[in-house]
Amino acid sequence: MIPIQLTLEGLYSYQERQKIDFENLTEAGLFGIFGSVGSGKSSILEAISFALYGETERLNKQDKRAYNMMNLKSNKSFIEFDFLNYENKKFRAKREFKRNSKNFTDVKTPTVTFYESVNENWVPLDHTNAEKIIGLSYANFKRTIIIPQGQFKEFLELGATDRTNMMKDIFGLQRFDLQNNASLLHNKNKSELDQLEGQLKGFEEVNEEQISEQNDILKEAQQKFDEVKIQFKNTENKYQQLKNLKTDFELLKQKESDFEKLSAQKKEIDELEIKTDVFDKLFRAFTPLISEKNKLEKEIAEQLKSKERHLKILKETEIQSENIKNKLSVVQPKYEALNQTKNQENDLALILQMLKFSEEIVELRKRTENGSSKVKEVEEHQNSVQETINALSEKAENLKSQKLDSSLLLHVGNWFSDKKKLEEILLNQTTKIEAKKTEINAISNELKALEINEETYKNQFQTQIEELENLSKKLSEKRSHFEVQQKLAHFANDLHDGETCPLCGSLEHPEIVKFEDVNFELNEILRQTKETDIQKEKLQKQFLEIEKILDRKKIFQEQLKSEEIIVQEINKNIEEHHQNFHWNNFHAENEKEFQEKRNQSFEIEKQIEELNTKISSEQKNMTTLRDNLNQDNKALEKFRLDEAKKEEQIKANEANLKTLKWTEYKERKITEIDEAYQNLSQSNLETEQNYLQLSKENGIIVPQLAERKTIVDQLINRIQDLENEALENKNSINKTLSEHQFGSLEEIQEIILQDIDVENVRTKIQNFKIQFETLKNSIFELRHKLNDFSFDEEEFSAIENQFKNLENEQKIANNSVVKISSEIERLQNEFKKKENLLKDLVKLQKRDENLKIMKNLFNRAGFVEYVSSIYLRQLCDHANVRFHRMTRNQLSLQLNESNDFEIIDYLNEGRSRSVKTLSGGQAFQVSLSLALALAESVQTNAKAERNFFFIDEGFGTQDSESVNVVFETLMNLQKENRIVGIISHVEELKEKIPVSLTIVKDEEKGSLIQIV
């Protein structure tokens, strides 16, 4: 997985939305994320894990995770993470959750959506399974890609079972777990075998003899069926003729009965036809006229009512119009004099404003006098402060000439500090070299005690082992010979006349071979073989022990050589450091003199700082006084300007007076003028509002009055028109009554009210006529057809009984043939099934034997554990490449017989010890080596071009030298096409990494991300 971009907002200490572009960081191969403790560095990894898996290392679901993850100043949290998976496909994971606006502690369940980039468009996926996309579970994701804070040693300290399960998940070792498959196949095969044997029990009576016997019975049944079939055919023809004749005579009788009933209904139908014709004729002629008459009468009544109502409204409107005209005549004179009274109102307003300005001018003159005296006091204080500042500045300048240059003191101090560090490093390195030499001498003494030649010991051991191998081979051949002889002796002793020989099968045994007892010889060979194996094992152990000792010696020699080179470099650095001392004021060998001068300079600098502090304080006072003085002067100037403006305004207002004079009101009180102004203003307002309101009402009532008169005139005209139309309708009705020879309209209405459905009645009459004529013609045809025939019931009954008997006999014969044919077909199919089942039985029995062997082979998870141990040993070998480099070949990682990690300590004779005995720094080094090897294996397994690895903390446990080694290891990963991200607060590491992010925590805005 390669990160592309991360956006987060409202998460932990990230209040505002922050975005990280990982593409610029990953291009460098190695990048860092730095910041102080608690700034929010680890929250970036938490955000990535939560976006992908909905899980975090700090919190689980029971910890009210959504609430505790959300920033307390935010109402929503947002995470959006873009990344490439192992197939180089681009995906996006987005999670968002909001706070309940009514309940601060209630945070809603996060919504999550996964997208895939298709043709530069984000297409939503139908699942949110990150494991399916990345190929790692959450547990293995935080062991191989993003390792959270405090979890770096987890893989190292996992138990054997947990570690096997992890290897199983990461490398897909479940494909080697064939126990269940083999067991399922064996059980399935056994079940099929049992079912097959059960099925075969149902075919025991199926054979070829039974099928032949059923064929003979079928021939006899078929012959009998053919004879009965011929007799049935002859009888069937005669029976069918008599049956048809009987049907015709019965049909004729039924139709004659139906015709007699229809003839009785004919008179009633004819009367109904006449009545319907009269109704239809009158309905068509009078219905429109009667409808028109009723409509006109109804509308005339409605129009008369409307006329009365509108006459009443017209009268009320005329009264209302007269009232408005009377009120207008009263208000009109006051409104016409309104311009003059408004001028008086405006003049009073101006005079009122002029009186207020006069009072304000008096107040401004008093404030100006007070301010002038205060300005004089501030100016005197300002001069005193300036004198103090000048005295302090002069004293500070005198002290500066006595102080040494700060940069000079810094450089010289750094030189002495570096010198001290180099001397300490040289001493430590010399101690290490002596320790290495002691170790090498101890190993050499150990080899002398074993009395071996380092150059020829391998050939000597090989020769001894080959001799023992040849001896074992000879003993094995002898043992086989004696075991065959012992077995033959056993067979010979068990042979008896009449019993089969297990070797040749003969029942007669004339000369049985006699064999000697070889048990003693066999036991002796077994004892010699055991002794030979013990000697071989002892030799191999001794050889391995010598190999380990020589390996330790070689490692210590290499370490000694490396340490001596380092000593040479340190001496060279010390010499170069002495050459860099170029300050004439000091001596390279007299650091005490330098310290005394530096302390004197520091004391002078302290005095200068105190003086500068006093000067700064006085300058602040000076600035405050100056600011106050400026403000006071500005205030005085403002007072004078305001006074002049108000006097100008009084003159302007006096010029604008139209009816009143300022001299008459100059000495009067403001309250008196204000009361007169308010009364006049209220009177003018009421006059204007009343006049405008009455004018508006008059403008509305005049058109309404005209409209009411028009409506009444229209109603009178409409009533006259309707009465004329009613007269014409009456004349039309009388004319139609005369044409149809009726005396009154009531007779017509009585006939129309009968409610006859003309269409249905005429359809009924037509159907009756058709049925009557059809039945009449049908009777005539049947009588003509049966004129020359007669029907005998007894003859028909006799033929019918004969037909039924033969029909039954034919059916019985046919059923017998069908039944026997079906049985033969069944037997033939069953026989074929039996043959196929026997073939399948042989296959399943053979398969059962093979599956038993496979089931025993894959029993339990032994095979998976075996494969897992191979992967672990390979992983251990890959990790040791970097671990040896980090520890300078002092430590090595290996797997013991229980598949648990342990440490080989070459400083202690190459003995093994638990990984739990490692220091914090050593544990970090081996954990980093393992994690890199594991991630490298995952990358190879996933066939990814590049892969990503994130480390959170751990560098704080390393000294400066170890940090350099670890950093060199991480830099080499760039050559292996790997990307490593580091989270740390170690400043020394930050200086070494070219590209990094810095997390800064702001009290107002929360955590902010800065690119360095």
Side-chain angles (χ1 to χ4, degrees):
M1 182 207 72
I2 305 295
I4 298 174
Q5 182 174 282
L6 174 66
T7 304
L8 64 162
E9 178 187 357
L11 190 77
Y12 291 125
S13 58
Y14 290 87
Q15 182 179 343
E16 297 183 354
R17 180 163 294 200
Q18 301 291 305
K19 185 179 289 186
I20 301 174
D21 183 1
F22 280 104
E23 289 184 315
N24 295 330
L25 300 174
T26 54
E27 283 177 4
L30 178 65
F31 67 91
I33 297 177
F34 296 95
S36 60
V37 175
S39 61
K41 305 185 297 298
S42 300
S43 298
I44 294 174
L45 300 192
E46 291 268 300
I48 293 174
S49 299
F50 190 68
L52 292 173
Y53 294 94
E55 297 286 347
T56 64
E57 189 63 22
R58 303 184 199 177
L59 302 167
N60 55 39
K61 291 180 180 178
Q62 287 73 31
D63 294 329
K64 294 178 67 177
R65 179 163 52 200
Y67 170 76
N68 286 306
M69 287 181 71
M70 184 178 289
N71 184 280
L72 293 174
K73 294 182 180 179
S74 302
N75 291 322
K76 73 170 185 176
S77 295
F78 175 84
I79 309 171
E80 187 176 81
F81 180 53
D82 297 352
F83 62 95
L84 294 174
N85 75 338
Y86 62 91
E87 297 176 321
N88 213 34
K89 292 182 179 179
K90 192 173 180 181
F91 291 90
R92 169 175 287 176
K94 184 166 75 173
R95 291 184 189 263
E96 191 173 5
F97 45 100
K98 297 181 179 179
R99 194 186 303 278
N100 188 337
S101 59
K102 297 180 181 178
N103 185 356
F104 184 81
T105 60
D106 179 24
V107 177
K108 297 177 181 178
T109 303
T111 60
V112 56
T113 310
F114 277 41
Y115 302 86
E116 182 179 0
S117 179
V118 180
N119 298 326
E120 301 299 325
N121 293 319
W122 289 109
V123 179
L125 300 180
D126 57 358
H127 69 86
T128 57
N129 187 352
E131 185 173 349
K132 184 177 179 181
I133 297 171
I134 298 175
L136 291 171
S137 66
Y138 173 63
N140 292 332
F141 178 80
K142 66 180 185 175
R143 291 168 181 155
T144 59
I145 292 183
I146 291 182
I147 303 181
Q149 197 173 33
Q151 297 294 316
F152 210 63
K153 296 195 298 179
E154 182 184 1
F155 178 63
L156 183 68
E157 296 177 352
L158 278 176
T161 303
D162 291 336
R163 194 183 297 113
T164 300
N165 291 334
M166 176 182 168
M167 300 293 286
K168 203 163 142 186
D169 290 341
I170 293 176
F171 297 107
L173 302 186
Q174 60 270 13
R175 64 185 186 275
F176 298 111
D177 188 2
L178 303 176
Q179 176 189 357
N180 292 335
N181 293 348
S183 180
L184 287 171
L185 286 172
H186 179 259
N187 294 337
K188 182 181 177 183
N189 189 76
K190 191 172 185 308
S191 175
E192 291 176 0
L193 193 61
D194 293 340
Q195 290 179 4
L196 198 57
E197 290 173 349
Q199 289 176 0
L200 283 170
K201 288 181 181 179
F203 292 93
E204 292 177 352
E205 297 180 358
V206 178
N207 50 58
E208 293 180 345
E209 290 81 5
Q210 190 177 13
I211 294 171
S212 177
E213 188 178 322
Q214 288 295 326
N215 282 327
D216 294 339
I217 295 171
L218 177 62
K219 288 178 182 178
E220 295 176 3
Q222 185 67 44
Q223 185 178 357
K224 184 179 179 182
F225 171 71
D226 292 341
E227 292 173 356
V228 172
K229 186 177 181 182
I230 294 168
Q231 293 177 9
F232 175 75
K233 192 70 176 174
N234 295 332
T235 305
E236 183 182 20
N237 293 335
K238 189 174 180 181
Y239 169 72
Q240 196 63 41
Q241 291 174 0
L242 289 173
K243 186 178 180 182
N244 292 339
L245 186 62
K246 180 184 179 184
T247 303
D248 287 342
F249 273 103
E250 289 176 349
L251 182 60
L252 176 60
K253 186 177 179 181
Q254 179 64 39
K255 287 191 175 184
E256 286 174 344
S257 174
D258 293 341
F259 183 73
E260 185 178 349
K261 292 178 183 177
L262 288 176
S263 298
Q265 297 176 9
K266 190 170 186 311
K267 182 179 179 182
E268 182 183 345
I269 293 298
D270 291 341
E271 292 175 354
L272 180 61
E273 185 176 10
I274 294 168
K275 185 179 179 181
T276 302
D277 289 340
V278 172
F279 173 81
D280 186 37
K281 185 178 179 182
L282 293 176
F283 186 83
R284 292 175 184 274
F286 284 95
T287 300
L289 294 171
I290 293 171
S291 297
E292 180 68 17
K293 176 178 174 294
N294 295 335
K295 179 182 176 185
L296 290 169
E297 289 175 352
K298 183 180 179 183
E299 189 171 355
I300 289 169
E302 289 176 352
Q303 293 296 334
L304 287 171
K305 288 181 181 178
S306 181
K307 176 185 171 185
E308 291 176 3
R309 182 165 52 83
H310 281 91
L311 282 171
K312 184 179 178 182
I313 294 170
L314 176 60
K315 189 175 181 180
E316 291 173 353
T317 305
E318 288 174 345
I319 294 168
Q320 190 177 358
S321 176
E322 189 64 30
N323 291 335
I324 291 171
K325 286 179 180 178
N326 293 333
K327 290 179 180 178
L328 268 173
S329 63
V330 174
V331 176
Q332 186 75 29
K334 292 182 180 180
Y335 184 75
E336 291 172 353
L338 192 61
N339 287 334
Q340 185 178 358
T341 55
K342 279 194 173 182
N343 287 335
Q344 292 177 1
E345 180 186 344
N346 291 335
D347 285 353
L348 284 173
L350 290 171
I351 290 170
L352 187 63
Q353 191 178 38
M354 292 161 70
L355 289 171
K356 289 180 179 177
F357 285 157
S358 298
E359 288 185 355
E360 290 174 0
I361 287 171
V362 173
E363 180 64 27
L364 284 170
R365 286 173 180 169
K366 289 180 181 179
R367 294 175 70 182
T368 302
E369 291 176 3
N370 294 333
S372 298
S373 60
K374 186 178 179 182
V375 166
K376 290 180 180 179
E377 292 177 5
V378 172
E379 287 175 346
E380 291 174 358
H381 190 193
Q382 187 177 356
N383 294 331
S384 173
V385 171
Q386 185 63 48
E387 290 174 358
T388 304
I389 291 172
N390 294 337
L392 292 171
S393 299
E394 185 180 354
K395 189 175 181 181
E397 288 298 324
N398 294 332
L399 288 172
K400 282 181 181 178
S401 60
Q402 303 174 24
K403 186 176 80 71
L404 293 173
D405 183 32
S406 299
S407 60
L408 174 67
L409 292 174
L410 178 65
H411 290 137
V412 176
N414 289 340
W415 188 91
F416 280 112
S417 178
D418 292 342
K419 176 189 175 186
K420 188 175 182 181
K421 287 181 180 177
L422 287 170
E423 289 173 349
E424 289 175 355
I425 292 170
L426 179 63
L427 179 62
N428 291 336
Q429 203 62 32
T430 305
T431 305
K432 286 183 182 179
I433 288 173
E434 293 300 324
K436 298 296 178 192
K437 288 179 179 179
T438 304
E439 291 287 347
I440 292 170
N441 291 333
I443 294 170
S444 299
N445 294 333
E446 194 174 343
L447 288 171
K448 286 180 182 178
L450 293 173
E451 298 180 352
I452 62 162
N453 188 330
E454 292 184 25
E455 296 179 356
T456 62
Y457 80 95
K458 287 186 178 179
N459 293 332
Q460 292 174 357
F461 273 105
Q462 187 64 34
T463 302
Q464 293 178 19
I465 288 172
E466 287 177 356
E467 289 175 357
L468 290 172
E469 288 286 348
N470 292 332
L471 178 60
S472 294
K473 189 174 180 181
K474 289 178 182 178
L475 290 171
S476 178
E477 290 173 354
K478 285 183 181 182
R479 177 183 174 186
S480 298
H481 174 73
F482 283 123
E483 284 178 346
V484 170
Q485 188 174 343
Q486 188 183 43
K487 194 69 176 176
L488 290 172
H490 176 71
F491 285 142
N493 292 333
D494 290 342
L495 286 177
H496 301 285
D497 289 336
E499 294 181 0
T500 304
C501 176
L503 300 178
C504 64
S506 175
L507 297 173
E508 296 179 359
H509 321 291
E511 294 182 4
I512 299 174
V513 180
K514 301 293 183 181
F515 294 95
E516 296 180 1
D517 186 7
V518 293
N519 285 331
F520 176 77
E521 288 80 355
L522 272 174
N523 291 333
E524 183 61 25
I525 288 170
L526 288 172
R527 186 187 63 77
Q528 293 177 8
T529 302
K530 188 174 181 181
E531 288 179 355
T532 303
D533 291 341
I534 291 169
Q535 290 178 9
K536 278 165 56 179
E537 185 178 355
K538 185 177 179 182
L539 272 175
Q540 287 172 345
K541 284 184 178 179
Q542 188 177 2
F543 179 75
L544 289 173
E545 187 66 28
I546 292 169
E547 283 282 297
K548 284 184 179 180
I549 294 170
L550 289 173
D551 285 344
R552 281 166 47 216
K553 183 178 179 182
K554 184 178 179 182
I555 289 169
F556 284 132
Q557 287 173 341
E558 290 175 355
Q559 291 174 351
L560 177 61
K561 187 176 179 181
S562 175
E563 301 295 349
E564 287 174 344
I565 291 170
I566 292 170
V567 167
Q568 292 174 4
E569 291 178 354
I570 293 170
N571 286 324
K572 185 179 178 182
N573 291 338
I574 291 172
E575 184 178 350
E576 290 176 353
H577 188 67
H578 275 280
Q579 291 174 0
N580 290 333
F581 192 88
H582 54 274
W583 298 282
N584 297 327
N585 297 336
F586 306 100
H587 298 90
E589 303 302 327
N590 193 349
E591 184 180 358
K592 185 177 179 182
E593 178 191 3
F594 163 73
Q595 292 292 348
E596 289 175 352
K597 290 183 177 181
R598 183 167 70 173
N599 292 336
Q600 290 174 3
S601 182
F602 284 164
E603 185 62 31
I604 292 170
E605 187 172 2
K606 186 177 179 182
Q607 293 176 13
I608 293 172
E609 286 179 0
E610 290 176 354
L611 288 171
N612 288 334
T613 302
K614 291 179 180 179
I615 292 170
S616 176
S617 177
E618 292 297 331
Q619 286 175 341
K620 285 181 181 179
N621 292 335
M622 186 71 173
T623 302
T624 303
L625 290 171
R626 190 180 295 114
D627 292 342
N628 292 339
L629 183 61
N630 290 336
Q631 289 176 3
D632 292 341
N633 286 327
K634 286 179 182 178
L636 286 173
E637 186 63 27
K638 187 175 181 299
F639 294 158
R640 294 188 186 101
L641 288 173
D642 288 347
E643 181 182 344
K645 285 179 182 179
K646 293 184 186 300
E647 288 176 349
E648 288 294 326
Q649 190 65 44
I650 290 171
K651 291 178 182 180
N653 286 2
E654 185 177 3
N656 289 328
L657 293 175
K658 293 179 180 179
T659 59
L660 303 178
K661 294 181 179 181
W662 167 239
T663 54
E664 296 176 0
Y665 292 90
K666 189 174 183 180
E667 302 299 330
R668 294 173 69 175
K669 293 182 178 179
I670 292 176
T671 54
E672 179 185 351
I673 302 302
D674 186 49
E675 183 179 356
Y677 169 73
Q678 294 297 337
N679 292 335
L680 184 58
S681 176
Q682 182 65 29
S683 175
N684 289 340
L685 181 63
E686 288 176 356
T687 299
E688 186 175 10
Q689 287 178 347
N690 290 338
Y691 179 81
L692 293 174
Q693 180 64 29
L694 289 170
S695 299
K696 182 179 178 182
E697 291 176 359
N698 189 54
I700 294 170
I701 203 69
V702 169
Q704 283 182 353
L705 186 60
E707 183 183 357
R708 301 282 188 266
K709 288 179 180 179
T710 302
I711 291 171
V712 170
D713 292 339
Q714 289 175 347
L715 287 170
I716 292 169
N717 294 332
R718 178 59 181 160
I719 291 168
Q720 184 63 42
D721 293 340
L722 289 171
E723 287 175 347
N724 293 335
E725 289 179 15
L727 183 60
E728 290 177 5
N729 176 261
K730 183 178 181 182
N731 294 334
S732 297
I733 290 173
N734 291 333
K735 184 180 178 183
T736 306
L737 283 171
S738 177
E739 288 173 356
H740 289 83
Q741 299 178 353
F742 280 92
S744 67
L745 186 60
E746 286 75 14
E747 295 177 31
I748 300 300
Q749 288 177 332
E750 186 177 349
I751 292 170
I752 291 174
L753 290 172
Q754 290 180 5
D755 193 20
I756 297 173
D757 189 346
V758 176
E759 187 177 352
N760 288 338
V761 170
R762 284 182 173 166
T763 302
K764 179 181 177 184
I765 293 168
Q766 184 67 24
N767 291 338
F768 177 82
K769 289 180 178 180
I770 292 169
Q771 187 180 5
F772 184 83
E773 292 299 325
T774 302
L775 194 56
K776 183 179 178 181
N777 293 334
S778 179
I779 290 169
F780 176 78
E781 289 173 0
L782 279 172
R783 283 176 179 172
H784 183 267
K785 178 182 177 182
L786 299 174
N787 191 30
D788 298 329
F789 292 96
S790 62
F791 176 72
D792 187 349
E793 184 67 37
E794 292 181 359
E795 182 185 1
F796 176 77
S797 297
I799 292 298
E800 185 177 28
N801 290 333
Q802 185 181 1
F803 171 78
K804 289 181 179 178
N805 292 333
L806 287 171
E807 185 180 34
N808 189 41
E809 289 179 13
Q810 180 182 342
K811 185 177 180 182
I812 292 169
N814 182 62
N815 289 342
S816 178
V817 170
V818 171
K819 184 177 179 182
I820 295 168
S821 298
S822 299
E823 180 62 17
I824 292 170
E825 185 179 359
R826 186 189 70 80
L827 289 171
Q828 289 174 342
N829 291 334
E830 293 294 305
F831 187 73
K832 287 180 182 178
K833 288 182 182 177
K834 183 178 180 180
E835 289 179 333
N836 293 332
L837 288 173
L838 288 170
K839 291 177 183 177
D840 293 341
L841 181 66
V842 174
K843 291 179 183 178
L844 288 173
Q845 288 174 339
K846 182 66 177 174
R847 181 177 170 82
D848 185 65
E849 294 174 2
N850 294 333
L851 287 173
K852 281 181 181 176
I853 296 171
M854 289 181 66
K855 185 178 177 182
N856 292 332
L857 179 63
F858 296 112
N859 190 25
R860 298 181 181 174
F863 192 63
V864 177
E865 291 176 359
Y866 169 71
V867 175
S868 174
S869 67
I870 293 174
Y871 273 81
L872 275 173
R873 291 183 191 282
Q874 291 175 349
L875 195 66
C876 192
D877 292 340
H878 292 158
N880 273 328
V881 173
R882 295 185 177 91
F883 189 45
H884 287 164
R885 191 185 308 144
M886 291 182 190
T887 62
R888 296 180 179 172
N889 296 320
Q890 294 177 2
L891 301 175
S892 181
L893 186 68
Q894 73 171 18
L895 283 171
N896 59 21
E897 296 176 355
S898 302
N899 275 345
D900 287 325
F901 287 119
E902 61 182 17
I903 296 296
I904 302 298
D905 190 347
Y906 294 112
L907 296 180
N908 291 288
E909 301 179 354
R911 300 185 185 278
S912 62
R913 57 188 172 95
S914 171
V915 293
K916 295 180 181 179
T917 62
L918 292 172
S919 67
Q922 291 171 333
F924 172 76
Q925 290 172 345
V926 70
S927 299
L928 175 60
S929 302
L930 265 177
L932 291 172
L934 183 61
E936 187 177 71
S937 300
V938 171
Q939 175 187 0
T940 304
N941 193 47
K943 299 179 180 178
E945 295 179 0
R946 304 179 76 196
N947 216 325
F948 178 71
F949 183 72
F950 227 133
I951 304 171
D952 188 359
E953 296 297 350
F955 296 93
T957 61
Q958 306 293 297
D959 56 27
S960 59
E961 186 178 354
S962 298
V963 168
N964 290 333
V965 175
V966 172
F967 181 75
E968 182 184 349
T969 301
L970 296 177
M971 288 296 291
N972 288 332
L973 293 175
Q974 296 179 357
K975 302 174 185 177
E976 302 169 15
N977 209 19
R978 295 184 55 80
I979 302 164
V980 178
I982 296 171
I983 289 182
S984 180
H985 60 271
V986 178
E987 287 298 321
E988 185 179 352
L989 199 62
K990 181 178 180 180
E991 295 172 0
K992 295 177 181 291
I993 295 178
V995 181
S996 65
L997 299 177
T998 299
I999 312 299
V1000 179
K1001 193 167 184 181
D1002 187 273
E1003 291 184 2
E1004 295 296 327
K1005 299 180 180 179
S1007 295
L1008 302 176
I1009 296 172
Q1010 298 176 353
I1011 299 176
V1012 181

